Amino acid sequence: MLLSQCTWPEVEAYLKTSKGIVMPIGSIEQHGPNGLMGTDAICAEAIARGVGEAASALVGPTIAVGMAVHHMAFPGSMTLKPSTLIAVIRDYVTALAAHGFERFLFVNGHGGNVATLRAAFYEIYAERRERHGDAAPDLRCHFVNWWENAAVAALSRDLFGSAEGSHATPSEVSVTQHLHPEAIKEAAMEPHVAPSGTFFDARDFRRRYPDGRIGSAPSLARPEHGARLMEAAVQAISVQYRTFVTAE
Ligand code: NI
């Protein structure tokens, strides 16, 4: 169930049965020579929708642009500053909390959002404490990275081994190929597996990883792998959602 496709009486009825909501958050940024700019937003949104169906949960609007300042040396990449993204997350949660939502599970598609998600949750808790003290209504925010669960990790390892890497991974590219077969791209990549390591700012990122990949071989991506990875992610995160929503 998508919030954007519900009427207000439907949301009112839902809130009598559950206080939980699934919130997709992604990024619009370069994903190497064959990966789509929207990879992280596309994966997070589709997996969140799958979780919504599997767990009968409402799914909120996708926060499509994330914190990706380190990708800005590649054309098309977009970013919100951490402070802007904190404000966006806080306002999304605060708006929905005003109607009675209490448990927010963010399905995250982008590692670069992690620090900002954590900071945003503490910003929300601090604000509510300032305003209401111990009387603040119950509110819990949590996020999961869709690729960080035992089922998806095992499948990625089976399919791609150490060529999974950490950016523009064959797993995430496979999921987008499954969801958008009309947008599958072919590109020559040299070396087959990109170098791995760290980076500082956007210019340094491009200098170290000239085609945008880190440690990955996304030419191994296949739509059929994406279908399996997505199913594994939906199953695992549906269990995490149910536990999160029903926990004391
Ligand atoms: Ni990504």
Side-chain angles (χ1 to χ4, degrees):
M1 245 187 328
L2 302 181
L3 179 65
S4 62
Q5 292 176 26
C6 287
T7 62
W8 72 260
E10 287 174 321
V11 178
E12 189 173 67
Y14 175 86
L15 279 163
K16 294 197 171 101
T17 67
S18 174
K19 308 288 186 205
I21 187 161
V22 181
M23 305 288 287
I25 179 165
S27 180
I28 305 291
E29 85 204 18
Q30 69 83 14
H31 270 77
N34 72 337
L36 308 181
M37 302 297 305
T39 297
D40 296 346
I42 291 166
C43 292
E45 180 168 276
I47 291 164
R49 288 179 179 201
V51 171
E53 277 166 35
S56 302
L58 205 56
V59 180
T62 303
I63 300 177
V65 178
M67 207 305 289
V69 68
H70 47 297
H71 293 290
M72 288 300 289
F74 294 89
S77 296
M78 295 177 68
T79 189
L80 299 180
K81 286 183 209 160
S83 53
T84 311
L85 185 55
I86 288 171
V88 169
I89 294 166
R90 185 197 59 206
D91 286 2
Y92 272 45
V93 168
T94 304
L96 291 166
H99 305 300
F101 289 95
E102 293 178 354
R103 306 276 168 112
F104 296 79
L105 181 71
F106 285 79
V107 173
N108 180 35
H110 173 50
N113 289 339
V114 163
T116 307
L117 275 164
R118 288 211 175 96
F121 296 168
Y122 280 112
E123 191 75 27
I124 292 163
Y125 297 153
E127 211 170 71
R128 289 169 76 79
R129 179 138 198 103
E130 236 168 43
R131 196 161 300 167
H132 307 286
D134 280 342
D138 191 31
L139 183 89
R140 295 184 193 181
C141 298
H142 185 53
F143 72 88
V144 292
N145 297 322
W146 69 260
W147 61 94
E148 271 183 3
N149 54 74
V152 171
L155 190 51
S156 292
R157 203 162 43 240
D158 285 354
L159 291 168
F160 309 119
S162 61
E164 171 72 358
S166 59
H167 182 65
T169 68
S171 289
E172 60 183 343
V173 174
S174 293
V175 172
T176 63
Q177 289 184 344
H178 161 62
L179 293 165
H180 293 287
E182 76 285 2
I184 294 176
K185 318 284 179 176
E186 299 283 339
M189 283 179 242
E190 194 54 49
H192 174 61
V193 178
S196 345
T198 54
F199 53 84
F200 291 95
D201 64 356
R203 197 169 51 175
D204 184 54
F205 186 119
R206 184 151 182 174
R207 187 177 63 78
R208 291 171 195 249
Y209 313 106
D211 72 3
R213 303 173 291 150
I214 302 181
S216 62
S219 54
L220 301 173
R222 299 289 180 273
E224 57 272 25
H225 297 335
R228 293 176 65 198
L229 286 157
M230 188 169 147
E231 197 191 317
V234 166
Q235 273 185 23
I237 298 169
S238 299
V239 172
Q240 291 170 319
Y241 175 80
R242 286 198 193 93
T243 306
F244 172 62
V245 165
T246 56
E248 281 294 306

